[in-house]
Structure formats: C-alpha cells, structure tokens
Amino acid sequence: QVQLVESGGGLVQPGGSLRLSCAASGFTLDYYAIGWFRQAPGKEREGVSCISSSDSRWYHTDSRFTISRDSAANTVNLQVNSLTPEDTAVYYCAATFSESCPPAGIISDYKYWGQGTQVNVSS
C-alpha cells in the first residue's frame, strides 16, 4: 500500500519552530519531487515548499520554511521557523510522479497525499 504519513505537528508558541516529517511506505521518496502544503480553516490548500529528486533542486514560498531529504529514513522534512498564529494549519506532504517540482500554486500534479499533521501556533 502506498502511503504518506506526516508527523511533527503540535502546539508551539509564536516565534517557535517545528520540524515536520513526511514518511513514505510502499515507494521510495527519493524518486519523486515531494511537496509540502498547508490548509488553514476557511482557506484553500497552498503549497509552501517542494524538493526535486535527482537534481536536488528545491524551493520554498517563505524563507522561514526549509525542506530537506533523509534518504536513509525515506522521509522528507520541513523545518518551519519563526511561527506566527497565521501559520496555524494542517500541513500535508505529497508526492508527484516527476523529478521536478510543479509551480508552487499547482497541486494537481501530486498523486499521493498524506492525511496531514496539525500545527497550532498560539500563546
């Protein structure tokens, strides 16, 4: 069974940081571009970061977000720093059957999605 599972979310104070993890089963994440997304209540799902496969290219829509791979663990991680209450959302990872990242605003190319991990930023 192909599955993505996010972890690392939780409650953090404004200004704090979290390291989110996307773990795969059923396939190897290194073969595909992996994106991170978030969806806040009442808002559309938005892309925040992506990392490509073999060419090691990556991007993030906010400099507070840093994406990385841990090939040995078959995970892709997202470091999120300087969090604000506006960052409160469910964070998802997704895989696309491509080596390169789609544009940040495009989600249709992603074929596998995790169920998300909740990030709450509150004092």
Side-chain angles (χ1 to χ4, degrees):
Q1 181 179 12
V2 175
Q3 189 174 23
L4 295 172
V5 179
E6 302 92 339
S7 63
L11 177 64
V12 63
Q13 292 185 327
S17 299
L18 287 173
R19 183 173 180 265
L20 309 181
S21 181
C22 175
S25 62
F27 68 101
T28 300
L29 287 178
D30 284 351
Y31 295 161
Y32 309 107
I34 306 298
W36 277 96
F37 301 79
R38 68 182 182 184
Q39 188 166 19
K43 296 184 178 180
E44 297 292 325
R45 188 170 300 185
E46 62 174 333
V48 298
S49 190
C50 182
I51 186 167
S52 64
S53 56
S54 60
D55 62 0
S56 299
R57 296 182 183 271
W58 54 269
Y59 72 80
H60 42 74
T61 59
D62 192 310
S63 62
R64 299 174 299 133
F65 302 157
T66 303
I67 194 168
S68 62
R69 290 185 182 271
D70 184 345
S71 296
N74 201 25
T75 64
V76 170
N77 302 314
L78 182 71
Q79 179 74 32
V80 187
N81 298 325
S82 302
L83 288 162
T84 73
E86 289 70 34
D87 295 316
T88 295
V90 178
Y91 284 72
Y92 301 88
C93 66
T96 181
F97 288 110
S98 174
E99 294 184 350
S100 59
C101 291
I106 304 299
I107 67 172
S108 60
D109 288 343
Y110 291 91
K111 305 302 181 184
Y112 295 104
W113 292 82
Q115 294 301 306
T117 184
Q118 179 71 51
V119 173
N120 292 312
V121 185
S122 175
S123 60

mmCIF file of all heavy atoms in Angstrom, residues 16-34:
data_model
loop_
_atom_site.group_PDB
_atom_site.id
_atom_site.type_symbol
_atom_site.label_atom_id
_atom_site.label_comp_id
_atom_site.label_asym_id
_atom_site.label_seq_id
_atom_site.Cartn_x
_atom_site.Cartn_y
_atom_site.Cartn_z
ATOM 1 N N GLY A 16 8.308 30.276 17.776
ATOM 2 C CA GLY A 16 8.914 28.973 17.889
ATOM 3 C C GLY A 16 9.081 28.293 16.548
ATOM 4 O O GLY A 16 8.756 28.844 15.490
ATOM 5 N N SER A 17 9.575 27.073 16.597
ATOM 6 C CA SER A 17 9.875 26.310 15.396
ATOM 7 C C SER A 17 9.375 24.887 15.533
ATOM 8 O O SER A 17 9.227 24.359 16.640
ATOM 9 C CB SER A 17 11.383 26.285 15.129
ATOM 10 O OG SER A 17 11.905 27.585 14.936
ATOM 11 N N LEU A 18 9.139 24.274 14.397
ATOM 12 C CA LEU A 18 8.774 22.872 14.327
ATOM 13 C C LEU A 18 9.509 22.226 13.171
ATOM 14 O O LEU A 18 9.836 22.884 12.180
ATOM 15 C CB LEU A 18 7.270 22.684 14.136
ATOM 16 C CG LEU A 18 6.353 22.960 15.318
ATOM 17 C CD1 LEU A 18 4.900 22.888 14.870
ATOM 18 C CD2 LEU A 18 6.610 21.975 16.443
ATOM 19 N N ARG A 19 9.754 20.953 13.304
ATOM 20 C CA ARG A 19 10.312 20.157 12.228
ATOM 21 C C ARG A 19 9.299 19.067 11.888
ATOM 22 O O ARG A 19 9.094 18.139 12.675
ATOM 23 C CB ARG A 19 11.655 19.551 12.624
ATOM 24 C CG ARG A 19 12.355 18.759 11.522
ATOM 25 C CD ARG A 19 13.748 18.356 11.968
ATOM 26 N NE ARG A 19 14.478 17.592 10.968
ATOM 27 C CZ ARG A 19 14.514 16.266 10.931
ATOM 28 N NH1 ARG A 19 13.859 15.553 11.825
ATOM 29 N NH2 ARG A 19 15.213 15.655 9.978
ATOM 30 N N LEU A 20 8.691 19.203 10.744
ATOM 31 C CA LEU A 20 7.706 18.245 10.284
ATOM 32 C C LEU A 20 8.378 17.177 9.440
ATOM 33 O O LEU A 20 9.363 17.441 8.748
ATOM 34 C CB LEU A 20 6.614 18.938 9.469
ATOM 35 C CG LEU A 20 5.957 20.156 10.116
ATOM 36 C CD1 LEU A 20 4.885 20.722 9.197
ATOM 37 C CD2 LEU A 20 5.377 19.805 11.480
ATOM 38 N N SER A 21 7.841 15.981 9.489
ATOM 39 C CA SER A 21 8.403 14.866 8.759
ATOM 40 C C SER A 21 7.331 14.195 7.918
ATOM 41 O O SER A 21 6.183 14.063 8.342
ATOM 42 C CB SER A 21 9.023 13.855 9.727
ATOM 43 O OG SER A 21 9.596 12.767 9.028
ATOM 44 N N CYS A 22 7.728 13.786 6.732
ATOM 45 C CA CYS A 22 6.869 13.046 5.814
ATOM 46 C C CYS A 22 7.529 11.706 5.558
ATOM 47 O O CYS A 22 8.602 11.648 4.950
ATOM 48 C CB CYS A 22 6.687 13.833 4.514
ATOM 49 S SG CYS A 22 5.758 12.964 3.229
ATOM 50 N N ALA A 23 6.909 10.651 6.033
ATOM 51 C CA ALA A 23 7.445 9.306 5.881
ATOM 52 C C ALA A 23 6.635 8.532 4.855
ATOM 53 O O ALA A 23 5.401 8.607 4.833
ATOM 54 C CB ALA A 23 7.434 8.573 7.219
ATOM 55 N N ALA A 24 7.323 7.782 4.027
ATOM 56 C CA ALA A 24 6.678 7.036 2.958
ATOM 57 C C ALA A 24 6.758 5.540 3.207
ATOM 58 O O ALA A 24 7.738 5.039 3.765
ATOM 59 C CB ALA A 24 7.315 7.358 1.608
ATOM 60 N N SER A 25 5.735 4.846 2.795
ATOM 61 C CA SER A 25 5.746 3.399 2.714
ATOM 62 C C SER A 25 5.187 2.995 1.362
ATOM 63 O O SER A 25 4.289 3.649 0.835
ATOM 64 C CB SER A 25 4.926 2.764 3.844
ATOM 65 O OG SER A 25 3.562 3.137 3.762
ATOM 66 N N GLY A 26 5.733 1.939 0.802
ATOM 67 C CA GLY A 26 5.272 1.470 -0.486
ATOM 68 C C GLY A 26 6.023 2.031 -1.673
ATOM 69 O O GLY A 26 5.868 1.514 -2.785
ATOM 70 N N PHE A 27 6.795 3.076 -1.475
ATOM 71 C CA PHE A 27 7.633 3.618 -2.531
ATOM 72 C C PHE A 27 8.757 4.413 -1.902
ATOM 73 O O PHE A 27 8.729 4.729 -0.708
ATOM 74 C CB PHE A 27 6.837 4.464 -3.532
ATOM 75 C CG PHE A 27 6.303 5.749 -2.978
ATOM 76 C CD1 PHE A 27 6.945 6.954 -3.237
ATOM 77 C CD2 PHE A 27 5.148 5.768 -2.217
ATOM 78 C CE1 PHE A 27 6.439 8.143 -2.738
ATOM 79 C CE2 PHE A 27 4.637 6.947 -1.713
ATOM 80 C CZ PHE A 27 5.285 8.136 -1.978
ATOM 81 N N THR A 28 9.736 4.743 -2.712
ATOM 82 C CA THR A 28 10.908 5.466 -2.249
ATOM 83 C C THR A 28 10.767 6.940 -2.608
ATOM 84 O O THR A 28 10.641 7.293 -3.779
ATOM 85 C CB THR A 28 12.188 4.888 -2.876
ATOM 86 O OG1 THR A 28 12.314 3.511 -2.513
ATOM 87 C CG2 THR A 28 13.408 5.649 -2.390
ATOM 88 N N LEU A 29 10.800 7.786 -1.605
ATOM 89 C CA LEU A 29 10.591 9.207 -1.828
ATOM 90 C C LEU A 29 11.665 9.826 -2.710
ATOM 91 O O LEU A 29 11.400 10.821 -3.387
ATOM 92 C CB LEU A 29 10.531 9.949 -0.497
ATOM 93 C CG LEU A 29 9.273 9.764 0.348
ATOM 94 C CD1 LEU A 29 9.409 10.524 1.656
ATOM 95 C CD2 LEU A 29 8.045 10.219 -0.408
ATOM 96 N N ASP A 30 12.855 9.270 -2.694
ATOM 97 C CA ASP A 30 13.946 9.842 -3.475
ATOM 98 C C ASP A 30 13.670 9.868 -4.969
ATOM 99 O O ASP A 30 14.330 10.615 -5.694
ATOM 100 C CB ASP A 30 15.237 9.064 -3.230
ATOM 101 C CG ASP A 30 15.876 9.386 -1.898
ATOM 102 O OD1 ASP A 30 15.418 10.328 -1.221
ATOM 103 O OD2 ASP A 30 16.847 8.705 -1.535
ATOM 104 N N TYR A 31 12.729 9.068 -5.431
ATOM 105 C CA TYR A 31 12.447 9.014 -6.864
ATOM 106 C C TYR A 31 11.585 10.166 -7.349
ATOM 107 O O TYR A 31 11.467 10.371 -8.566
ATOM 108 C CB TYR A 31 11.740 7.704 -7.222
ATOM 109 C CG TYR A 31 12.556 6.450 -7.007
ATOM 110 C CD1 TYR A 31 11.936 5.214 -6.910
ATOM 111 C CD2 TYR A 31 13.940 6.491 -6.907
ATOM 112 C CE1 TYR A 31 12.666 4.055 -6.725
ATOM 113 C CE2 TYR A 31 14.678 5.335 -6.717
ATOM 114 C CZ TYR A 31 14.034 4.123 -6.628
ATOM 115 O OH TYR A 31 14.768 2.970 -6.442
ATOM 116 N N TYR A 32 10.986 10.911 -6.460
ATOM 117 C CA TYR A 32 9.952 11.855 -6.839
ATOM 118 C C TYR A 32 10.168 13.204 -6.189
ATOM 119 O O TYR A 32 10.801 13.329 -5.138
ATOM 120 C CB TYR A 32 8.570 11.326 -6.444
ATOM 121 C CG TYR A 32 8.315 9.921 -6.912
ATOM 122 C CD1 TYR A 32 8.312 8.861 -6.012
ATOM 123 C CD2 TYR A 32 8.094 9.652 -8.255
ATOM 124 C CE1 TYR A 32 8.085 7.566 -6.437
ATOM 125 C CE2 TYR A 32 7.876 8.357 -8.692
ATOM 126 C CZ TYR A 32 7.875 7.325 -7.787
ATOM 127 O OH TYR A 32 7.656 6.045 -8.218
ATOM 128 N N ALA A 33 9.607 14.211 -6.834
ATOM 129 C CA ALA A 33 9.504 15.509 -6.189
ATOM 130 C C ALA A 33 8.452 15.439 -5.082
ATOM 131 O O ALA A 33 7.377 14.868 -5.274
ATOM 132 C CB ALA A 33 9.132 16.592 -7.200
ATOM 133 N N ILE A 34 8.780 16.008 -3.947
ATOM 134 C CA ILE A 34 7.906 15.974 -2.780
ATOM 135 C C ILE A 34 7.577 17.403 -2.372
ATOM 136 O O ILE A 34 8.484 18.228 -2.199
ATOM 137 C CB ILE A 34 8.555 15.227 -1.606
ATOM 138 C CG1 ILE A 34 9.008 13.828 -2.043
ATOM 139 C CG2 ILE A 34 7.594 15.152 -0.427
ATOM 140 C CD1 ILE A 34 7.877 12.927 -2.504
#
